[in-house]
Amino acid sequence: MTIKKKTYRNGPFKDFIAQGTQVGNVLYMAGQVGISDRGNVPANITEQTAIAYSNMKHVLSQFGADLENVVDETFFVTDMSELMENVEAVYGERESAYGGMPEVSQTVVQVGALVQPELKIEIKCIAHL
């Protein structure tokens, strides 16, 4: 049995990684990081979070969706203590992106590294379309 999929590929790794894959009415989004469309990476986790959410919105829009469709998200952070030191600002960016307290489940995981050493957070989500 073949599963019908729709994918969106963009960015420097588009030959290797789909930014999003839709199967039926579910979208599985690859982790989005705090790299701006000009390739800039801010030094702090709060600004990286804001850019990651902007990147998420872009990918969601390719499937006719927005953050309202997100049902689950995972934060991958390289330093849990840095997240906790900036938790109000980081979660402020989250609420700002969603337009209020989001109704999504969330997991936070500390990892050894992300794709570039200056990255501090990556956000992955699942959306219902």
Side-chain angles (χ1 to χ4, degrees):
M1 178 168 113
T2 303
I3 297 174
K4 185 176 176 183
K5 300 176 192 174
K6 175 184 172 186
T7 61
Y8 171 69
R9 295 177 179 276
N10 189 31
F13 300 108
K14 66 184 173 194
D15 292 336
F16 310 105
I17 299 170
Q19 295 297 308
T21 300
Q22 179 182 349
V23 179
N25 62 355
V26 179
L27 171 61
Y28 302 90
M29 186 184 301
Q32 300 299 304
V33 295
I35 300 175
S36 74
D37 55 359
R38 294 178 174 232
N40 299 329
V41 179
N44 72 67
I45 191 170
T46 304
E47 290 179 49
Q48 287 188 25
T49 301
I51 294 170
Y53 275 113
S54 177
N55 293 338
M56 286 174 62
K57 288 177 184 179
H58 173 75
V59 175
L60 286 162
S61 74
Q62 303 306 304
F63 294 88
D66 58 31
L67 287 172
E68 198 54 39
N69 298 88
V70 173
V71 296
D72 182 72
E73 68 180 15
T74 303
F75 276 12
F76 297 95
V77 298
T78 56
D79 185 343
M80 193 67 73
S81 63
E82 182 176 8
L83 173 64
M84 297 314 294
E85 289 168 7
N86 296 281
V87 71
E88 288 184 21
V90 168
Y91 278 85
E93 289 295 341
R94 181 178 187 243
E95 284 188 36
S96 178
Y98 279 98
M101 180 62 74
E103 294 182 348
V104 302
S105 58
Q106 186 190 48
T107 302
V108 179
V109 179
Q110 181 172 314
V111 295
L114 295 171
V115 69
Q116 290 180 233
E118 65 271 27
L119 291 169
K120 299 171 182 284
I121 189 165
E122 181 171 323
I123 306 171
K124 179 176 176 52
C125 76
I126 299 171
H128 185 268
L129 306 175

